[in-house]
Amino acid sequence: MKSIILQQAGGLETLRVQEYPDIKPMPGMITIDVAYAGVGYVDVLLRRGDFGPIVPFPIIPGLEVSGYVREIGEGVEGFYVGQPVAAMTLSTFGGYASIVQSRPEFTIPLDQAGAEMDMATAAALLVNLATAYIACKQVAKVQPGDQVLIHGAVGGLGSYLGQVAKWLGAGSVFGTVGHPDKIRHAEKFGYDELFVRSDFVNQIQQVTKQQGVHAVFDPVGGEMRKQSLEVLRPFGQLVIVGNASGQADVAQSSNELWIRNKTVAGFALGEYSRFAPNEVGKVARESLQLIAKHGIHTEISGIYPLEKASEAHALLEAGNTIGKLLLQM
C-alpha cells in the first residue's frame, strides 16, 4: 500500500508518499481499498503540530474516505467484500493511504444510501456534513425562523452549515467570507447574504436591525470569537467548530457571558465519536439521506493525486478553496 505518514510536525515537505506493507483488518474492523480521501483544514493543523501531544506522531492524516470493502475482520457483520462504502476514520486518522482500516460504526454502505452517489462526492461530504448536522440540530438547536451567522461560509464545513440551518427552518442564514470574490457563491450554499469578515459586525447589526442573531457558528477562530459575541442577541449561542485561522486561543470572561445572557459551546466530531460512536454512525447515515432527499449541494473544488497532497494543503492554507478538496488514489 502507499500512504503519507507524518513522522513529525512540519511544512508541506513532510507530505511524502511512501510504500508500506498492506494492512490486515483487526478483529471488529474493516479494511477499505480507497478511491478518494477528503482533505480538510484539520489535516493542515495536524501536519503543523497544532494539536500538540493530544495527537502524537507518527500519524497518517485524513478523516474520511470512499472506496470498496477489501477485507472484513472477525466479528463484523453486514458488509461484503467489494461493497462500495464511505467511511470516517475519526479515532485513528489514516485517510491518506491506498488502504485504510475503519470501524463498522463509521462505515456507511453506499449501495444502501437511498440515492446514486459517486465516490468523489461520498468522500467529500461525510465528516463535514455530519459535523454540520449535529452542530445545528443538537448543539445550537436551530429553530424555524432563527437568524444564524456562519463564518468560513463557503469552506468545507461552512458550505454545509448554511444548508443544514436552512433545512432546519432558519429564517435568515448569513455568512462571512475572507474575500469578496467568494460572495457570488452564496445562493448555492443556502445563504441569504454573505459579508466580508472584516466588517461583519456592523453589517449583521444593520441587517438584523440591531437585534443580533440566535446563533453563530465559528470554524475560523482568533478575534472572530469575541466579535461574534457582539452580534448575538440575548440567549444567543456561539458554537465553536474549528480554528482554521490557527491563531492563539482568545480568553473570554464568564462574567461577561452571565451579564449579557449569552452562551459559548464547542463541538468536535472526532472527540464526540469516542463518547458516542453509534450516535455518530447514525448521524452519518442520516446525513446521506439529506443528500438523497433534500438536495444538499456538495462542492468539490479540486481533486489531486496522493503524490500532490502538498498542493491541496497549500491551497487550504492560503484560503483559496470553495467547498472540499480530495485526493485520488
Side-chain angles (χ1 to χ4, degrees):
M1 60 177 278
K2 59 181 181 179
S3 66
I4 294 175
I5 298 183
L6 300 175
Q7 300 295 336
Q8 60 187 18
L12 298 174
E13 73 283 352
T14 61
L15 297 168
R16 295 190 301 269
V17 177
Q18 297 185 49
E19 291 286 342
Y20 297 92
D22 291 351
I23 57 174
K24 305 286 288 185
M26 295 187 297
M29 302 287 279
I30 298 167
T31 54
I32 298 168
D33 284 319
V34 177
Y36 295 92
V39 181
Y41 207 88
V42 66
D43 301 329
V44 174
L45 300 177
L46 175 68
R47 190 201 79 230
R48 297 193 311 214
D50 288 6
F51 294 116
I54 297 174
V55 184
F57 294 94
I59 194 167
I60 301 174
L63 288 176
E64 58 202 325
V65 302
S66 64
Y68 301 90
V69 174
R70 178 184 178 91
E71 292 186 75
I72 300 170
E74 180 183 349
V76 176
E77 298 179 350
F79 297 88
Y80 61 87
V81 173
Q83 186 173 26
V85 293
M88 299 180 292
T89 55
L90 295 171
S91 57
T92 59
F93 287 84
Y96 290 18
S98 57
I99 304 172
V100 303
Q101 188 153 224
S102 175
R103 294 177 59 163
E105 299 98 318
F106 303 150
T107 306
I108 295 85
L110 295 178
D111 54 354
Q112 300 172 17
E116 291 291 329
M117 188 175 301
D118 64 272
M119 283 289 177
T121 299
L125 65 85
L126 207 52
V127 167
N128 284 332
L129 185 52
T131 297
Y133 188 98
I134 295 175
C136 288
K137 188 175 183 180
Q138 296 175 223
V139 181
K141 296 181 173 62
V142 173
Q143 300 296 311
D146 279 0
Q147 293 187 308
V148 173
L149 172 64
I150 294 156
H151 298 308
V154 299
L157 176 55
S159 63
Y160 287 122
L161 284 164
Q163 295 181 84
V164 173
K166 274 290 187 183
W167 169 70
L168 289 170
S172 299
V173 180
F174 309 112
T176 70
V177 293
H179 195 279
D181 288 348
K182 295 184 177 182
I183 289 177
R184 60 189 174 89
H185 297 282
E187 186 174 353
K188 71 169 72 172
F189 296 129
Y191 291 101
D192 293 289
E193 198 164 354
L194 287 181
F195 308 110
V196 176
R197 274 199 295 274
S198 58
D199 191 37
F200 82 89
V201 173
N202 291 331
Q203 292 172 314
I204 289 296
Q205 295 292 26
Q206 182 177 350
V207 78
T208 63
K209 299 179 180 178
Q210 308 302 314
Q211 294 299 302
V213 296
H214 296 85
V216 178
F217 296 89
D218 181 18
V220 177
E223 287 300 315
M224 301 293 290
R225 304 275 201 250
K226 284 190 174 182
Q227 293 173 329
S228 295
L229 288 169
E230 294 180 35
V231 300
L232 284 177
R233 64 176 61 198
F235 304 133
Q237 187 177 54
L238 167 62
V239 182
I240 299 170
V241 287
N243 187 39
S245 68
Q247 295 181 26
D249 198 7
V250 176
Q252 171 58 48
S253 164
S254 55
N255 279 339
E256 183 182 0
L257 296 176
W258 158 54
I259 293 168
R260 298 175 67 190
N261 299 293
K262 297 180 181 182
T263 302
V264 177
F267 177 67
L269 186 68
E271 185 60 31
Y272 186 56
S273 71
R274 301 176 194 272
F275 174 78
N278 291 326
E279 171 64 16
V280 169
K282 176 176 175 287
V283 165
R285 287 165 172 80
E286 291 176 358
S287 296
L288 291 181
Q289 294 301 312
L290 291 181
I291 300 289
K293 297 180 180 179
H294 299 283
I296 299 292
H297 175 70
T298 297
E299 183 87 359
I300 299 173
S301 60
I303 300 176
Y304 299 83
L306 182 62
E307 291 77 9
K308 293 189 177 181
S310 60
E311 294 186 20
H313 275 228
L315 284 171
L316 282 174
E317 288 186 290
N320 291 332
T321 61
I322 302 295
K324 192 74 173 183
L325 297 174
L326 297 177
L327 300 177
Q328 185 172 17
M329 302 303 152

